[in-house]
Amino acid sequence: MKKLRQIMTASLLSAVALSDAQAQDIDHKLDVINQLTTPSHVSVMPVSSLLNAPGNEALRAFFFNPVKDKTVLKGKKIAVLAADGFEEIELTGPVWYFRELGAQVDIVSPKYNPAPARYGLSSPEMAKTHVMAIQYLQPVGWIKFDRTADQIKVSDYDAVFIPGGAWNPDNLRYDKDVIKFIQDFNKSGKLIAAICHAPVVLASADILKGRKLTGYWNIQIDLKNAGGIVSDQPVVVDANIITSRHPIDVADFSKAVESWLVKKK
């Protein structure tokens, strides 16, 4: 409170002694700000907790058992479409696995587009070159992207996958370069994989009519409304589209992508 009062004093008033009226005005503004601000108590999903949770033994084994053949996907190029708010394990997990199998994996983000000043948002300088990870509802870190969506073309990659996180797909589906790339990639018949909330990006690209898929439980109605045939399974493969529901499905999701790409060799 003392720090906030000092900041407001510096920004709203000149560095002079405060009158009673000025002090009351600042107190009023602080009271309003306090009423507009909620306490910081958040839910998190650390990777260690996820892997050690009861029922996730197979997921833990997927990551901890060494990959035996590190050339399975040698020569394959995979693009990861990610924006701020991606679910950490849904990006880092498959990326780790595909690289372990020998694939080249590029993280691709929309072009940096800061919000208008009137929105009052503050972003670190690294937001120009990195995207923000979350664990369930909590921002936890940043990862550097390799290219931007306006710089890539279909011929650059053999597959594209989109991690979830409720914020990430919402940011991606608004980007015209991302949507055009997904549409063109689908026309090529190359693999498009999406997990958790990410299938809503495919809905925005209007490529789900008559397609079998799954997704995070909260968005399954949206996928149905987009014309998809939705089932509640860990992974669904329909021609060139692979989808999964949740971080607990990362192993099944990653293996399905591997299997699809191996068959296309």
Side-chain angles (χ1 to χ4, degrees):
M1 180 69 74
K2 181 179 180 181
K3 180 66 174 177
L4 181 56
R5 182 164 187 158
Q6 290 172 340
I7 293 172
M8 291 193 64
T9 300
S11 61
L12 297 177
L13 302 171
S14 60
V16 296
L18 297 177
S19 68
D20 288 343
Q22 289 172 326
Q24 290 175 5
D25 181 58
I26 290 176
D27 286 340
H28 167 70
K29 290 182 172 67
L30 287 174
D31 181 60
V32 172
I33 289 175
N34 285 335
Q35 292 187 57
L36 297 177
T37 306
T38 56
S40 180
H41 301 289
V42 296
S43 299
V44 295
M45 188 179 65
V47 172
S48 57
S49 296
L50 178 67
L51 297 184
N52 289 315
N56 287 347
E57 291 78 14
L59 183 63
R60 183 167 61 252
F62 170 75
F63 286 110
F64 290 162
N65 291 342
V67 172
K68 295 180 180 179
D69 186 351
K70 298 196 174 188
T71 65
V72 172
L73 294 183
K74 186 176 180 180
K76 296 294 184 181
K77 297 182 179 180
I78 303 172
V80 185
L81 295 178
D84 288 337
F86 68 87
E87 186 66 57
E88 185 181 55
I89 191 64
E90 291 175 355
L91 183 149
T92 59
V95 165
W96 169 84
Y97 186 64
F98 300 148
R99 286 176 174 166
E100 283 287 293
L101 296 176
Q104 175 186 320
V105 183
D106 291 342
I107 297 173
V108 179
S109 171
K111 288 187 298 184
Y112 178 67
N113 184 26
R118 67 173 300 195
Y119 286 13
L121 298 178
S122 176
S123 297
E125 183 68 17
M126 69 188 308
K128 297 178 181 178
T129 56
H130 294 64
V131 286
M132 181 186 70
I134 65 168
Q135 291 174 355
Y136 185 50
L137 297 174
Q138 173 70 10
V140 292
W142 296 79
I143 192 167
K144 193 176 188 302
F145 55 82
D146 301 294
R147 306 177 73 182
T148 53
D150 62 315
Q151 297 174 330
I152 60 175
K153 53 185 183 294
V154 172
S155 59
D156 293 338
Y157 298 102
D158 301 290
V160 58
F161 94 79
I162 312 173
W167 310 338
N168 169 56
D170 206 44
N171 287 323
L172 291 175
R173 69 192 305 192
Y174 184 69
D175 188 88
K176 61 181 179 59
D177 294 319
V178 168
I179 296 303
K180 178 67 163 56
F181 181 75
I182 290 294
Q183 291 171 335
D184 292 344
F185 216 81
N186 184 58
K187 291 175 184 176
S188 76
K190 294 182 179 181
L191 177 62
I192 300 172
I195 187 170
C196 199
H197 287 77
V200 297
V201 182
L202 311 187
S204 292
D206 195 24
I207 64 170
L208 294 184
K209 290 183 177 64
R211 306 301 296 271
K212 297 177 183 178
L213 75 160
T214 191
Y216 192 71
W217 298 277
N218 295 3
I219 68 163
Q220 289 184 7
I221 186 63
D222 301 292
L223 304 180
K224 292 177 182 178
N225 290 339
I229 302 169
V230 180
S231 58
D232 186 15
Q233 301 178 46
V235 62
V236 174
V237 181
D238 183 359
N240 69 317
I241 294 180
I242 295 176
T243 49
S244 285
R245 307 166 303 181
H246 189 275
I248 60 175
D249 301 325
V250 162
D252 293 327
F253 175 76
S254 300
K255 290 176 182 176
V257 170
E258 174 194 1
S259 178
W260 197 99
L261 289 173
V262 167
K263 290 177 182 177
K264 288 294 180 179
K265 278 189 172 182

